[in-house]
Amino acid sequence: MTNNGFQHGNAAGMRIHVLPTKAFKTFAISLYAGVPLDESTVTSTALAPFVLRRGTATYPETTQFRERLEELYGAGFGFDIYKRGDYQIVQFRMDTINDSFVQSKESLLGESFAFLGEVLTRPLLENGSFRASYVATERETVRKKLEAIVNDKIRYAAERCIEEMCRQEPYRLHPLGQRADLDGITPENLYESYTAWLNGAILDLYVVGDTTPEEVEKLVIRHFGRAHKQSESYTSNFKPVTVQEVRTVEEKLDVNQGKLNMGLRTSITYKDDRYASALMYNGILGGYPHSKLFVNVREKESLAYYASSRYDGHKGIGTIQSGIETQNYGKAVDIIRKQLDELKAGNISDLELSQTKAMIRNLLSEIQDSAFELISFDFNRQLSGKDRSAQELLAEVDGIGAEEVKAAADTFQLDTIYFLTGKGE
């Protein structure tokens, strides 16, 4: 079946999504592996790809691994780990030049599949588990990444606000895991959890480039052909949360500038027909430089060094981030709440509507220029079960007026106020 140009099928227990196109000079390959966020596995799942990228059965040393990518005309290989709704997702990416642009004896698409298949399913093993030195080094890599969040107070405050707001939900967990768990991870138990992860994950493989679904399916069977159970679909157990009372959390650390973050709950998620209204709401509230938070909190009142908002459509959560002088806390909370009330009251200018539409239009049209953006947009569909092309979303956004934004605003309820302040205050 086809959607947005992607053709969808299944092979070797994976869902396969192919966009045959001559628009790009490269093949973009993306493999998503998703599992539910879970305190007992989140850290080992995050650590596994760091160890996998160190060496495989054929390329046991990291230098050989990198040289192999060079032989494939400098193919790019990388991975990301993030959360979408209550899932932890590992995304492996490869970017390989199209065969027709180089004099290559072998099919570069085929060789890339061989490489990615090996990274994922044939890691380097010693005595039946991962190489101990790789596990030790990569444990420190992940530890440093988690420590970097604590040192970056803007990121730290954003994470802590989510942690406090979602303290009873898996979503509180950071996709890179928890520092406290790292020391308990051994080469043996990491290999066990990697095997369980690989067998339990929902797998979606994407290819954008000058190929066909038939060719991709053959390559998948050849290079990933293992007895993997058929990938299930993502299931959303989303239940709108009704806020009983706003919770305020204050934390003292050695900071010069206060960080005021707020978390909001909404009943609107990506699959909802009102999703475009929620995008517009976030854009007018704090998504762009013309937004209410930026103009009123930062520019008019000079209360904040930065002030913006984000909306996570897979979780039904909005967040507000701002940096303020600690003595301005009360004033800043009041003026941010006033912007929320303005939207609920429908006080939205034609200029705010048209500027926000222009910004969203730019973002959606940029998707067409990047193979990985096209992939990521279609993956939202796999996650949410909602069939909606970028063009359809754009048309929905264009049709939205102040009334629809006001209706969306009514669903956004302030849940948590988190304030990170200095110790000497």
Side-chain angles (χ1 to χ4, degrees):
M1 71 174 264
T2 311
N3 170 288
N4 303 351
F6 279 98
Q7 297 176 28
H8 307 283
N10 291 285
M14 289 187 201
R15 302 192 293 185
I16 294 176
H17 319 277
V18 182
L19 177 59
T21 174
K22 291 185 167 63
F24 304 104
K25 289 185 173 167
T26 55
F27 292 111
I29 306 168
S30 235
L31 177 66
Y32 293 91
V35 290
L37 274 165
D38 182 317
E39 191 144 22
S40 64
T41 56
V42 64
T43 312
S44 52
T45 298
L47 179 57
F50 286 91
V51 174
L52 295 177
R53 67 151 183 202
R54 290 299 302 272
T56 68
T58 310
Y59 314 105
E61 301 300 325
T62 308
T63 45
Q64 295 169 319
F65 186 92
R66 294 197 180 131
E67 279 162 6
R68 180 58 187 146
L69 289 168
E70 280 309 310
E71 287 165 12
L72 296 175
Y73 294 88
F77 169 80
F79 65 89
D80 281 313
I81 305 165
Y82 41 84
K83 60 184 175 190
R84 290 285 181 273
D86 290 330
Y87 283 93
Q88 181 183 21
I89 313 263
V90 180
Q91 177 194 9
F92 294 93
R93 291 183 318 279
M94 277 195 82
D95 202 5
T96 312
I97 198 155
N98 187 332
D99 302 335
S100 56
F101 294 99
V102 289
Q103 300 296 308
S104 170
K105 291 193 291 291
E106 58 220 352
S107 149
L108 289 177
L109 182 63
E111 293 301 316
S112 300
F113 264 88
F115 184 82
L116 186 59
E118 173 146 341
V119 169
L120 199 67
T121 65
R122 294 185 61 223
L124 170 68
L125 298 183
E126 287 180 349
N127 310 321
S129 62
F130 287 127
R131 179 178 275 182
S133 61
Y134 288 173
V135 174
T137 316
E138 297 309 319
R139 259 199 327 238
E140 291 315 301
T141 305
V142 173
R143 193 190 311 277
K144 286 196 179 86
K145 284 182 182 291
L146 288 167
E147 278 164 4
I149 296 168
V150 180
N151 298 330
D152 175 349
K153 293 300 183 271
I154 293 178
R155 276 177 74 197
Y156 175 76
E159 291 295 337
R160 286 285 296 117
C161 182
I162 291 285
E163 227 173 73
E164 289 293 341
M165 176 158 91
C166 302
R167 60 196 183 285
Q168 313 289 345
E169 302 160 66
Y171 194 76
R172 73 182 185 282
L173 297 166
H174 192 278
L176 278 177
Q178 310 183 89
R179 281 187 295 172
D181 295 344
L182 285 165
D183 289 335
I185 295 179
T186 64
E188 293 75 22
N189 64 26
L190 182 62
Y191 182 66
E192 272 172 41
S193 73
Y194 147 81
T195 311
W197 165 71
L198 197 55
N199 289 327
I202 301 171
L203 297 177
D204 284 279
L205 183 95
Y206 278 88
V207 182
V208 173
D210 189 6
T211 180
T212 62
E214 294 71 32
E215 182 184 17
V216 170
E217 280 176 22
K218 281 185 191 134
L219 290 170
V220 166
I221 290 161
R222 186 178 317 151
H223 299 295
F224 292 88
R226 59 215 157 81
H228 185 283
K229 68 178 178 46
Q230 181 54 48
S231 267
E232 294 154 15
S233 300
Y234 287 92
T235 50
S236 165
N237 43 12
F238 177 74
K239 293 180 190 66
V241 176
T242 309
V243 180
Q244 304 299 336
E245 60 177 321
V246 178
R247 188 162 165 264
T248 302
V249 178
E250 186 178 291
E251 186 172 353
K252 286 184 161 59
L253 281 178
D254 196 7
V255 292
N256 302 327
Q257 183 198 91
K259 308 281 179 264
L260 171 60
N261 286 53
M262 297 185 184
L264 303 110
R265 301 272 190 178
T266 172
S267 57
I268 303 176
T269 59
Y270 188 87
K271 70 188 299 184
D272 198 297
D273 289 339
R274 299 168 297 168
Y275 175 67
S277 310
L279 275 188
M280 285 290 292
Y281 167 84
N282 177 62
I284 293 168
L285 173 63
Y288 305 108
H290 66 265
S291 304
K292 287 186 185 293
L293 289 175
F294 194 88
V295 170
N296 293 297
V297 186
R298 186 167 178 260
E299 297 198 331
K300 283 190 189 161
E301 297 286 334
S302 303
L303 274 178
Y305 300 97
Y306 61 90
S308 65
S309 70
R310 294 195 190 110
Y311 165 55
D312 178 345
H314 291 294
K315 181 65 183 165
I317 276 179
T319 50
I320 292 170
Q321 301 73 233
S322 66
I324 60 171
E325 292 296 336
T326 44
Q327 68 271 22
N328 290 338
Y329 169 77
K331 218 175 179 180
V333 169
D334 289 345
I335 195 157
I336 289 173
R337 293 187 83 149
K338 184 166 184 268
Q339 306 318 307
L340 297 173
D341 293 340
E342 288 284 299
L343 278 155
K344 282 191 198 296
N347 293 335
I348 298 153
S349 70
D350 289 346
L351 185 61
E352 285 173 322
L353 284 169
S354 63
Q355 286 181 315
T356 304
K357 285 178 186 181
M359 297 303 262
I360 294 174
R361 191 179 299 119
N362 286 348
L363 286 172
L364 287 172
S365 52
E366 277 168 17
I367 289 173
Q368 308 306 316
D369 305 332
S370 155
F372 284 108
E373 289 291 335
L374 286 166
I375 287 172
S376 142
F377 189 89
D378 191 82
F379 183 59
N380 281 334
R381 191 174 83 79
Q382 306 305 325
L383 274 171
S384 64
K386 175 71 177 177
D387 213 340
R388 183 201 286 121
S389 70
Q391 290 74 14
E392 286 163 342
L393 182 55
L394 192 54
E396 286 173 20
V397 165
D398 272 336
I400 282 169
E403 274 307 304
E404 286 82 5
V405 178
K406 176 186 185 303
D410 284 332
T411 72
F412 279 84
Q413 302 170 289
L414 183 58
D415 179 301
T416 300
I417 298 174
Y418 170 85
F419 186 45
L420 179 61
T421 179
K423 283 187 170 154
E425 297 305 321

